Amino acid sequence: MRNIFFVDLKTGNKERYQKTDALDTKNLCNHLKYGTLKGINIPTEMEDQFTSLALHRTQVTKKLRTTKLQIKSLCYFMS
């Protein structure tokens, strides 16, 4: 299954006090039938790797910038 439905369904007052699996199933089926549920996107492995690569690139760039500033600061201090 590609889409996962993760929503807080609107329920009536009766369903709050008389909560059963049968009522929950009926409520979910009605929402699916009328198309009121929205699916969430689960990233593929390739999308997940791209996100990880982008994060790693950001971290490396930040470390490089910090190191350059430290060297520059040390040069100013020594001269």
Side-chain angles (χ1 to χ4, degrees), residues 11 14-28:
T11 57
K14 180 181 177 184
E15 293 172 352
R16 289 183 191 160
Y17 298 109
Q18 296 178 350
K19 189 154 179 70
T20 63
D21 288 341
L23 287 174
D24 288 343
T25 305
K26 184 178 179 184
N27 195 15
L28 276 173

Side-chain angles (χ1 to χ4, degrees), residues 36-54:
T36 57
L37 293 179
K38 293 181 182 177
I40 60 171
N41 182 33
I42 300 173
T44 62
E45 187 174 341
M46 189 169 194
E47 291 171 338
D48 201 26
Q49 288 175 354
F50 181 75
T51 303
S52 178
L53 179 65

Side-chain angles (χ1 to χ4, degrees), residues 71-79:
I71 292 170
K72 187 176 180 181
S73 176
L74 185 63
C75 288
Y76 280 135
F77 181 73
M78 292 296 188
S79 59

Side-chain angles (χ1 to χ4, degrees), residues 4-16:
I4 294 180
F5 298 99
F6 185 77
V7 292
D8 193 18
L9 300 175
K10 294 180 183 178
T11 57
N13 215 12
K14 180 181 177 184
E15 293 172 352
R16 289 183 191 160

